[in-house]
Amino acid sequence: MRKLLPLIGNSHGGGRSALTCRYRCGDACFHEVPNKSDNEYVGDVIARAYSRRSMLRSAAVVTVASAAGTAITLGGNGSSATAAPAADAQGGAADAAGARGLRFKAIAPNTDDRVTVPEGYEQNVVIRWGDPIVKGAPGFNSDKQTAAAQAGQFGYNNDFLSLLPLGDDYERRQLLVANHEYTDENLMFKGYDPANPTREQVEIAWAAHGLGVVVVQEDHRSGKLTAVNRHQLNRRLTATSEFQLTGPAAGSPLVKTSADPTGTKVLGTLNNCSGGTTPWGTTLHGEENFNQYFANAGQVTDATEAARLKRYGVTAGATERKWERFDKRFDVLQEPNESHRFGWVVELDPYDPHSTPRKRTALGRFKHEGAQPRLTEDGRPVVYMGDDEKFDYFYKFVSSKQMKKGDSRAAKEHNLTLLDEGTLYVAKLTGDSPAAEFDGTGKLPSDGQFDGSGAWIKLLTSSPSGNVSHVEGMTAEEVAVFTRVAADKVGATKMDRPEDIEPSPRTGRVYVVLTNNSDRGKAGKAGVDEANPRNVNKHGQILELAENFDDPAGDGFAWRLFLVAGDPKDPATFFAGFPKEKVSPISCPDNVTFDPHGNLWISTDGNQLGSHDGLFGVATAGERRGELKQFLTVPRGAETCGPLVQDKRVLVAVQHPGEIDGASVEKPQSVWPDGPGKIVRPAVVSVWRKDGKNIGI
Ligand code: FEO
Ligand code: CA
Ligand code: CA
């Protein structure tokens, strides 16, 4: 019989297992917090500003003025709970009266080793780690893995997902794009010895990282999707594929290496977490915890470079996976600039299987969680981005060029330059309530809202006619490559781990997911503020931000907390003012998406409430604003990633199933997806209604 380890109580950062922490982010939570700047946190700013602020507010509407004097409003339903209808999101009622798109019976939190979906819903596994996708790739055999096979098979640990339309020639087919964030060799290889990985294991891991593109076939009568193996559009990009650096850092001495004296050609993409889909038909992929793959930063003697490496958390000694033993580029003592070539947003044209993906350096370099664009009124892309580290920042990039419509070759070529030209900003937040009202418990301030105003501070303007640094003492190239250092200098606001950031296609409001921060308020660390109001923040919060929608390129915004996550019985939680006894418990929000009705869907990473991770839907407008309902849970040890909601289906990437401390191929801690005796495989799952109707209607 399998011996199951205790499910909860392994309190590695945000409730994850030690194994996940080690392989996913290189134990980021256990290292010194990289942000040593003395940047103010919101509390400092409030203390200074409160006395001179006039309070232009009512119970339901928050208005601030941008620097240009333009009114920005977050709109109504901020805290009103007066019209909340009866509902029982915790599993009691078949809630036919829920918000449109969320009319399903919420599932109860649980620890079942499977994907649990609401009554009346069905599911299938779309594609698994190791399934052959590229022509010539062999079927998966866990005992006969090779790097060559893996390079043509679906990669490990699927995270971000995008579904793109295909034309009339491809009836009922879509193009699925997936990130393969990281490998867990303990769960991939029998007899894995972490101290002595073999070259073959390392090369398989290189091939299991990266991106995957695969055509998927829709079922006629349901939301079921099936992968079309070996289709000509199918593609894998790995840790050794060619990528091009574009924008202000391309060709800079800061990114030149012995293998690439041009500073423009990078091999590989690493730790792709979340991403985005552009209106011009490309996908964006955040390179997140890239630091963990590079060794020996602790021995760098140049003080400036040592400080920069430390700010990015590059590994001081040997890395967990020991890749530096097999390729010198992973050793910063031998290739000092190789790590500077990771930590970017990658843009991929998935419709062209021969295209070289680009690393867009105008968007800055940090631990990119994702990058979701929208267009300004005049058609310029704005990309919102989080830097997922405790006490780090969130950013936006505003292109100076307008998107061209249509799919002509000229339009396509033009649109592939949009993210090379524009301005990068970092966010600074100010609260509107007195600092004394924030005691670290999460108690609402007397005005009934965690809210305030904010400024986008310019860091870098990129242009073919010359790149401009807006940061004193740093060149444009330095701001691009060492963006964290630049943001420290301009006094950006230290947040509780900014993860996904997505603008609502309906309202234009932007949702900034802050997953948790176990160090908030600890000795020597930043204390609470109005945007990050809980000490030792276990459960996270979601911030709602409004720019002047006529001018999202503007430099001012209004913000308020939309959700303060946790057990609704905990007084320190907040669900946009919706009655808390009627919502599902939620912990550690991470990736988000919007459904066709404008509801926000939230996946979690590291539930601290004793349940497996899950996917939740919540209305962001109307009288049910804040009514959060749980739609699914994932198997043991897994994280819910890459959510997408279409009319007929909900798609999730089940990442790192079975990743529980002590787990190995020989001692699996999950039997998902193929049952006992089969190796555990991360996989993409589609969920639909058995009666064929649309999701949540
Ligand atoms: Fe890969 Fe920030 O989660
Ligand atoms: Ca307030
Ligand atoms: Ca994530």
Side-chain angles (χ1 to χ4, degrees):
M1 223 177 105
R2 282 186 312 122
K3 183 165 173 253
L4 298 183
L5 296 172
L7 194 68
I8 42 178
N10 72 52
S11 59
H12 272 242
R16 287 263 64 103
S17 74
L19 203 57
T20 299
C21 291
R22 192 178 314 139
Y23 285 94
R24 195 254 305 281
C25 51
D27 277 338
C29 289
F30 302 95
H31 295 144
E32 217 177 330
V33 170
N35 190 350
K36 294 288 179 198
S37 72
D38 55 3
N39 285 2
E40 291 174 311
Y41 57 101
V42 178
D44 294 339
V45 183
I46 296 164
R48 203 178 53 243
Y50 183 64
S51 60
R52 62 172 190 265
R53 270 186 63 85
S54 61
M55 309 301 266
L56 302 172
R57 60 195 332 278
S58 69
V61 179
V62 181
T63 306
V64 299
S66 72
T70 316
I72 306 169
T73 176
L74 271 159
N77 292 319
S79 61
S80 167
T82 50
D88 180 1
Q90 305 216 34
D95 191 4
R100 191 169 169 79
L102 299 177
R103 292 173 192 158
F104 56 83
K105 184 174 172 181
I107 66 157
N110 68 80
T111 54
D112 296 340
D113 187 26
R114 62 190 179 104
V115 174
T116 302
V117 297
E119 282 175 30
Y121 284 77
E122 189 55 271
Q123 59 178 303
N124 80 311
V125 171
V126 181
I127 189 165
R128 298 158 167 78
W129 163 52
D131 284 346
I133 61 171
V134 174
K135 209 174 164 191
F140 181 67
N141 182 336
S142 63
D143 293 327
K144 290 184 181 164
Q145 298 180 56
T146 67
Q150 177 66 80
Q153 297 168 333
F154 201 60
Y156 202 77
N157 269 347
N158 32 216
D159 196 306
F160 168 72
L161 301 175
S162 179
L163 274 174
L164 293 141
L166 288 170
D168 294 342
D169 295 346
Y170 298 90
E171 200 186 351
R172 289 194 169 274
R173 288 183 170 184
Q174 299 187 62
L175 197 53
L176 174 69
V177 183
N179 280 355
H180 300 296
E181 186 177 12
Y182 72 99
T183 48
D184 187 330
E185 287 74 0
N186 295 284
L187 305 183
M188 294 170 71
F189 307 123
K190 272 186 187 158
Y192 182 69
D193 176 1
N196 296 293
T198 66
R199 173 168 284 280
E200 184 70 44
Q201 288 167 338
V202 167
E203 291 184 353
I204 292 167
W206 291 344
H209 276 75
L211 315 176
V213 181
V214 59
V215 173
V216 287
Q217 177 77 51
E218 298 175 23
D219 183 58
H220 284 282
R221 284 189 297 274
S222 72
K224 184 176 185 177
L225 290 175
T226 319
V228 181
N229 292 342
R230 305 178 177 101
H231 191 279
Q232 61 188 8
L233 288 176
N234 291 1
R235 186 178 190 190
R236 277 300 319 286
L237 291 138
T238 72
T240 56
S241 307
E242 187 176 328
F243 289 71
Q244 187 191 351
L245 281 173
T246 69
S252 157
L254 295 169
V255 295
K256 289 180 178 172
T257 64
S258 58
D260 174 32
T262 69
T264 59
K265 196 172 105 177
V266 183
L267 293 185
T269 187
L270 291 171
N271 213 262
N272 299 94
C273 190
S274 193
T277 305
T278 71
W280 56 95
T282 62
T283 50
L284 304 178
H285 310 265
E287 293 186 317
E288 196 188 20
N289 293 295
F290 66 92
N291 55 306
Q292 66 179 303
Y293 301 93
F294 297 93
N296 297 327
Q299 295 177 53
V300 170
T301 50
D302 177 83
T304 304
E305 179 59 7
R308 288 166 169 170
L309 289 166
K310 201 163 186 185
R311 183 66 182 85
Y312 282 84
V314 176
T315 320
T319 67
E320 182 65 36
R321 294 180 183 79
K322 315 283 187 292
W323 289 1
E324 63 275 15
R325 294 183 190 168
F326 302 92
D327 187 338
K328 68 168 188 171
R329 72 186 173 117
F330 295 110
D331 180 348
V332 301
L333 296 177
Q334 297 191 65
E335 279 296 352
N337 291 339
E338 184 69 13
S339 72
H340 302 162
R341 292 140 64 86
F342 295 82
W344 303 105
V345 169
V346 171
E347 183 173 16
L348 171 71
D349 176 3
Y351 290 105
D352 178 359
H354 306 294
S355 60
T356 302
R358 281 89 159 177
K359 297 195 179 190
R360 301 296 190 191
T361 70
L363 277 60
R365 178 172 164 271
F366 41 91
K367 291 189 180 181
H368 279 285
E369 173 74 19
Q372 183 56 48
R374 75 170 184 209
L375 296 176
T376 62
E377 290 287 301
D378 66 354
R380 289 172 297 131
V382 180
V383 185
Y384 296 93
M385 302 172 287
D387 183 352
D388 182 6
E389 186 100 54
K390 289 185 256 187
F391 302 113
D392 254 294
Y393 313 129
F394 66 94
Y395 299 79
K396 77 169 177 180
F397 172 83
V398 183
S399 178
S400 53
K401 296 171 80 169
Q402 291 167 303
M403 184 185 100
K404 284 193 176 153
K405 290 187 177 153
D407 53 7
S408 68
R409 192 184 174 89
K412 196 168 172 176
E413 280 175 10
H414 170 86
N415 291 338
L416 284 170
T417 67
L418 295 174
L419 301 185
D420 288 336
E421 298 174 41
T423 297
L424 178 67
Y425 303 80
V426 68
K428 180 168 184 162
L429 282 68
T430 306
D432 73 355
S433 294
E437 294 194 3
F438 302 98
D439 61 3
T441 64
K443 185 166 151 269
L444 273 177
S446 55
D447 67 0
Q449 283 283 350
F450 299 108
D451 60 347
S453 58
W456 290 112
I457 306 174
K458 272 186 192 174
L459 296 176
L460 171 67
T461 299
S462 303
S463 158
S465 59
N467 304 308
V468 179
S469 164
H470 302 291
V471 182
E472 210 180 318
M474 293 181 79
T475 66
E477 290 171 8
E478 286 171 335
V479 175
V481 179
F482 306 112
T483 309
R484 281 184 166 184
V485 178
D488 292 344
K489 284 178 183 277
V490 301
T493 300
K494 294 176 171 181
M495 306 299 291
D496 286 346
R497 289 188 55 200
E499 295 252 23
D500 231 350
I501 305 181
E502 300 233 357
S504 163
R506 286 290 180 97
T507 65
R509 293 174 191 152
V510 179
Y511 292 81
V512 181
V513 182
L514 303 157
T515 202
N516 56 49
N517 185 347
S518 53
D519 282 349
R520 176 71 67 180
K522 282 193 176 165
K525 307 280 169 57
V528 292
D529 57 45
E530 194 156 353
N532 304 279
R534 287 185 293 191
N535 281 331
V536 192
N537 178 8
K538 283 183 180 175
H539 302 299
Q541 65 267 21
I542 298 181
L543 184 144
E544 184 176 54
L545 178 159
E547 306 199 54
N548 181 343
F549 199 41
D550 294 331
D551 175 24
D555 60 5
F557 59 87
W559 64 267
R560 66 185 170 207
L561 294 190
F562 172 62
L563 289 184
V564 179
D567 182 339
K569 293 191 184 81
D570 175 352
T573 55
F574 179 71
F575 295 82
F578 197 82
K580 292 203 266 181
E581 66 278 14
K582 295 171 181 170
V583 303
S584 296
I586 183 171
S587 177
C588 305
D590 186 337
N591 297 155
V592 288
T593 191
F594 287 90
D595 69 19
H597 313 282
N599 300 306
L600 182 72
W601 290 64
I602 306 160
S603 62
T604 65
D605 171 17
N607 190 302
Q608 292 255 299
L609 295 169
S611 171
H612 284 181
D613 275 319
L615 179 68
F616 304 74
V618 61
T620 63
E623 63 179 13
R624 289 179 176 272
R625 176 179 150 88
E627 184 181 23
L628 179 97
K629 297 173 73 176
Q630 182 154 16
F631 184 79
L632 63 70
T633 45
V634 291
R636 191 149 192 259
E639 168 185 353
T640 323
C641 293
L644 287 174
V645 185
Q646 298 184 322
D647 284 331
K648 293 284 184 197
R649 68 183 58 78
V650 172
L651 208 66
V652 290
V654 177
Q655 203 194 50
H656 56 77
E659 196 170 54
I660 299 277
D661 293 350
S664 64
V665 174
E666 294 83 355
K667 289 188 284 184
Q669 298 298 320
S670 168
V671 298
W672 193 85
D674 296 325
K678 300 282 170 54
I679 195 166
V680 184
R681 294 164 77 179
V684 176
V685 170
S686 184
V687 183
W688 64 90
R689 262 173 79 151
K690 284 178 181 167
D691 62 10
K693 293 181 180 165
N694 285 2
I695 302 293
I697 296 297

